[in-house]
Amino acid sequence: MPFKSTLSLVLFSLISYQSHAQTNQVAIIIDDMGYRYTDKHALTLPGDITYAFLPHTTYGKKLAILANNDNHDVLIHIPMESKNREKLGPGALTSAMDEDAFKKSLTKSFAEIPFAIGINNHMGSYLTQLYQPMAWTMDFLKQHELLFLDSKTSPHSKAKQAALDYGVPVKSRQVFLDNELTDEYISQQFKQLIAIAQKHNTAIAIAHPHPETMATLNKLIPTLALHGIELVPLSRLYPSSNASKVITVSE
């Protein structure tokens, strides 16, 4: 075979392999954004990171605007009642609230950050196990063409089933990256994220804006490409027609 033909075949094979290798995708969400000014450092992470902002926090709106201006996906990180009844911040949803209170609270949260494409739960190990509150939440999200990410703080969460029942785009978190704030632990969790993506083609991880997390992720995120994995905005893993960038909510 002529040299040029051989070279062309090799190049075509390499391109085809690289194209195939890039089919695996991960989304990384940085939760708990908004309480501290230092959370701004998370916005410098490389690649298409998704950011989840706690509603009505000191820096949440300002940092969310910066993230949105840089074309990052933005979620509202809605506090939900936990099993051990931990203290919840503003914009929280609890089992003591009725449907009207749920929807008014969500409306206020989205009035502050109207370009958010959906929500995920902050805590919520108790509330997400209750179908009715999840149904009210999904009804709101469906009305406004928003998505839901279940942080899976409970293995018994009914959020996904409620979302499916109401036709709300839903995914679940597979990996928490920084339950322990050591380079060794975060690196091990990152390996798990890679393994899940390689096995299932996609994977979703959640981390937090801790300095230790930022330092390790700045090193690890560029290595995803070496494993044939693309870091994508969370919305890329959902049906493209469902995530609305801007919504209008009425009081």
Side-chain angles (χ1 to χ4, degrees):
M1 183 182 290
F3 175 74
K4 287 185 178 179
S5 298
T6 303
L7 180 60
S8 297
L9 181 60
V10 170
L11 289 174
F12 177 78
S13 298
L14 285 172
I15 292 170
S16 297
Y17 172 77
Q18 290 172 348
S19 177
H20 176 73
Q22 290 298 327
T23 59
N24 295 331
Q25 298 177 323
V26 302
I28 297 175
I29 296 88
I30 304 298
D31 273 355
D32 292 1
M33 295 284 290
Y35 271 123
R36 299 162 295 274
Y37 184 65
T38 53
D39 292 348
K40 67 177 183 177
H41 297 306
L43 299 179
T44 65
L45 284 170
D48 287 319
I49 300 293
T50 297
Y51 296 95
F53 294 86
L54 290 155
H56 317 302
T57 49
T58 305
Y59 302 104
K61 180 178 180 179
K62 179 179 180 178
L63 296 180
I65 290 171
L66 292 176
N68 184 63
N69 287 345
D70 282 340
N71 297 312
H72 289 283
D73 277 358
V74 169
L75 299 175
I76 301 182
H77 194 39
I78 298 293
M80 296 187 186
E81 187 176 354
S82 65
K83 285 189 290 187
N84 58 7
R85 306 302 193 269
E86 292 181 63
K87 183 179 179 180
L88 299 170
L93 303 178
T94 73
S95 58
M97 297 165 64
D98 61 15
E99 180 177 7
D100 185 59
F102 259 64
K103 293 184 177 179
K104 284 182 177 178
S105 179
L106 289 168
T107 294
K108 288 180 180 179
S109 294
F110 275 94
E112 181 182 48
I113 308 177
F115 45 81
I117 63 171
I119 71 172
N120 71 328
N121 54 295
H122 173 60
M123 297 190 276
S125 55
Y126 179 70
L127 196 73
T128 59
Q129 294 183 91
L130 305 178
Y131 182 84
Q132 189 60 72
M134 290 299 96
W136 294 336
T137 301
M138 301 310 161
D139 186 43
F140 176 91
L141 297 179
K142 178 63 175 178
Q143 289 177 24
H144 299 292
E145 299 183 336
L146 297 162
L147 58 81
F148 184 77
L149 172 66
D150 190 349
S151 301
K152 289 293 282 186
T153 54
S154 167
H156 307 295
S157 172
K158 292 183 170 60
K160 183 175 182 179
Q161 187 58 56
L164 293 172
D165 291 345
Y166 279 79
V168 173
V170 60
K171 298 286 181 182
S172 299
R173 180 272 318 163
Q174 279 94 24
V175 181
F176 277 123
L177 293 175
D178 57 351
N179 283 339
E180 296 178 20
L181 295 177
T182 66
D183 183 83
E184 180 181 8
Y185 179 87
I186 297 168
S187 297
Q188 185 60 45
Q189 292 300 99
F190 202 84
K191 289 179 182 177
Q192 183 182 352
L193 176 68
I194 289 171
I196 293 172
Q198 290 175 332
K199 182 177 181 179
H200 299 288
N201 300 122
T202 64
I204 297 172
I206 287 177
H208 305 85
H210 304 299
E212 299 87 346
T213 304
M214 297 303 100
T216 301
L217 288 184
N218 270 302
K219 293 187 300 181
L220 293 178
I221 288 172
T223 69
L224 287 171
L226 302 177
H227 298 276
I229 296 173
E230 181 185 8
L231 176 64
V232 299
L234 180 67
S235 58
R236 186 86 65 83
L237 303 184
Y238 287 72
S240 59
S241 61
N242 287 296
S244 175
K245 250 322 205 184
V246 179
I247 67 168
T248 301
V249 291
S250 57
E251 293 291 345

